[in-house]
């Protein structure tokens, strides 16, 4: 038994080590490229003459509009996160606690919508935004990100709300609490891990998306990081990949900070023993 346990432990550590290398190596390569002098891509993870010049050049208004792209992305990400969390938690709570006509069909519809790739709806999105005159606006992206996050995340929220004992709702209702008060003061505090995950995922969306942002945004002063960095590096005579790598590294900073801020909520079992007796 001890020998078998040691073999299993060794295999577990081996798999984790391989997975860590696969994940960490590209990150180290991007950081190394951002510190490399010049404009070309290098295979050296640790450059011989590292420099922070590219990070300072990003915020030089004569070279790039990186600061503007950064602020645009942060604004869209924060608003998207707040709107998405509000809509998703309310929708998930409704599907978890209430029974109404069309509930089952709505859940099936949400599941089917997740099977359709995003780019399939590009034409429909284009026509709809053109009809509403929302092209080249941040509001259009916020609505698309927030609406697109509802189906999949609703399943996540509903599944978590289902684990919270309904006796809490009944006890609060006997004490005179209304539906909104039960949701806001009792259920939502117990669902902090789920809310943190949804908030993090929806905050990341504007940083990772290129297709929708490139479709909607046309003006240079309204572009997000993904579109701005792509346009910067795709210019015919200015393939500055080291500057692009520096911009990619800095774009991860808000996501990392938000992850560490929410890390304490990424735990399970917060509802254990929460039933009122």
């Amino acid at each position: 038994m001890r020998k078998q346990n040691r073999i299993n432990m060794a295999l577990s550590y081996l798999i984790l080590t391989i997975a860590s290398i696969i994940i960490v190596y590209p990150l180290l390569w991007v950081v190394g490229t951002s510190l490399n002098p010049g404009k070309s891509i290098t295979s050296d993870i640790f450059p011989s003459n590292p420099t922070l010049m590219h990070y300072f050049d990003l915020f030089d208004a004569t070279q790039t509009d990186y600061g503007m792209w950064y602020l645009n992305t942060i604004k869209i990400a924060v608003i998207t996160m707040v709107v998405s969390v509000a809509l998703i938690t309310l929708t998930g709570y409704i599907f978890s606690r209430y029974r109404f006509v069309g509930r089952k069909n709505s859940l099936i519809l949400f599941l089917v919508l997740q099977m359709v790739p995003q780019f399939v709806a590009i034409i429909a999105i284009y026509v709809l935004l053109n009809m509403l005159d929302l092209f080249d606006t941040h509001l259009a992206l916020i609505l698309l990100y927030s609406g697109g996050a509802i189906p999949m995340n609703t399943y996540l929220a509903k599944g978590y709300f289902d684990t919270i004992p309904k006796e809490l709702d009944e006890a609060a209702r006997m004490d005179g609490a209304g539906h909104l008060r039960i949701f806001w003061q009792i259920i939502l505090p117990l669902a902090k891990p789920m809310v943190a995950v949804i908030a993090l995922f929806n905050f990341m969306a504007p940083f990772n998306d290129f297709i929708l942002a490139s479709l909607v945004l046309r003006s240079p002063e309204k572009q997000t990081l993904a579109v701005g960095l792509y346009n910067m590096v795709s210019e015919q005579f200015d393939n500055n990949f080291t500057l692009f790598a520096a911009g990619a590294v800095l774009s991860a900073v808000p996501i990392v900070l938000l992850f560490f801020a929410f890390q304490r909520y990424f735990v399970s079992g917060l509802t254990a023993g929460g039933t009122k007796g």
Side-chain angles (χ1 to χ4, degrees):
M1 290 295 293
R2 291 182 179 179
K3 184 177 180 180
Q4 185 64 35
N5 290 335
R6 290 177 181 176
I7 294 175
N8 293 336
M9 186 66 68
L11 289 176
S12 300
Y13 278 113
L14 178 61
I15 294 173
L16 290 175
T17 302
I18 295 174
S20 299
I21 293 173
I22 295 174
I23 294 173
V24 172
Y25 178 79
L27 298 178
L28 293 178
W29 182 77
V30 172
V31 174
T33 301
S34 69
L35 298 176
N36 187 55
K39 296 184 177 181
S40 60
I41 297 178
T42 178
S43 59
D44 296 332
I45 297 180
F46 304 102
S48 56
N49 298 311
T51 176
L52 296 175
M53 175 186 64
H54 305 298
Y55 290 93
F56 292 105
D57 289 343
L58 284 173
F59 296 96
D60 185 355
T62 60
Q63 298 190 42
T64 69
D65 294 323
Y66 186 81
M68 186 181 300
W69 304 334
Y70 211 99
L71 292 177
N72 290 340
T73 308
I74 291 290
K75 182 184 76 173
I76 295 173
V78 171
I79 298 176
T80 299
M81 178 182 67
V82 174
V83 174
S84 298
V85 167
L87 293 177
I88 292 167
T89 52
L90 286 171
T91 306
Y93 179 74
I94 290 172
F95 277 112
S96 174
R97 288 300 195 261
Y98 302 104
R99 300 296 182 266
F100 51 88
V101 177
R103 174 179 177 274
K104 183 178 180 180
N105 292 333
S106 298
L107 289 173
I108 295 175
L109 177 62
F110 282 179
L111 184 62
V112 171
L113 289 174
Q114 296 309 303
M115 301 178 184
V116 181
Q118 188 182 62
F119 63 85
V120 174
I122 288 296
I123 297 178
I125 292 174
Y126 182 91
V127 173
L128 184 61
L129 293 180
N130 190 40
M131 292 174 57
L132 299 176
D133 196 22
L134 288 177
F135 266 115
D136 201 25
T137 63
H138 291 163
L139 176 61
L141 279 181
I142 293 171
L143 293 176
L144 290 174
Y145 292 146
S146 302
I150 292 177
M152 182 61 185
N153 288 278
T154 295
Y155 268 93
L156 175 64
K158 177 189 176 298
Y160 198 96
F161 286 138
D162 287 343
T163 64
I164 299 177
K166 294 184 178 180
E167 288 80 2
L168 294 174
D169 302 48
E170 296 171 359
R173 197 169 291 114
M174 291 179 61
D175 291 336
H179 297 287
L180 186 59
R181 186 174 182 182
I182 293 173
F183 168 76
W184 181 255
Q185 295 187 352
I186 298 176
I187 304 301
L188 199 59
L190 295 175
K192 286 181 180 179
M194 179 270 299
V195 174
V197 170
I198 293 175
L200 182 62
F201 284 170
N202 286 279
F203 183 83
M204 292 169 55
F207 287 89
N208 297 330
D209 176 66
F210 171 77
I211 297 178
L212 288 179
S214 61
L215 172 70
V216 174
L217 302 178
R218 306 297 175 84
S219 303
E221 66 274 8
K222 294 184 179 180
Q223 292 176 349
T224 59
L225 281 173
V227 180
L229 288 174
Y230 172 79
N231 292 335
M232 179 187 69
V233 78
S234 63
E235 293 180 5
Q236 186 175 1
F237 301 106
D238 189 23
N239 294 328
N240 197 337
F241 292 105
T242 49
L243 195 65
F244 178 88
V249 172
L250 289 182
S251 66
V253 172
I255 299 175
V256 173
L257 293 177
L258 189 65
F259 174 82
F260 283 115
F262 288 165
Q263 189 176 18
R264 58 178 176 169
Y265 299 121
F266 297 150
V267 293
S268 60
L270 289 185
T271 61
T275 305
K276 183 175 180 181

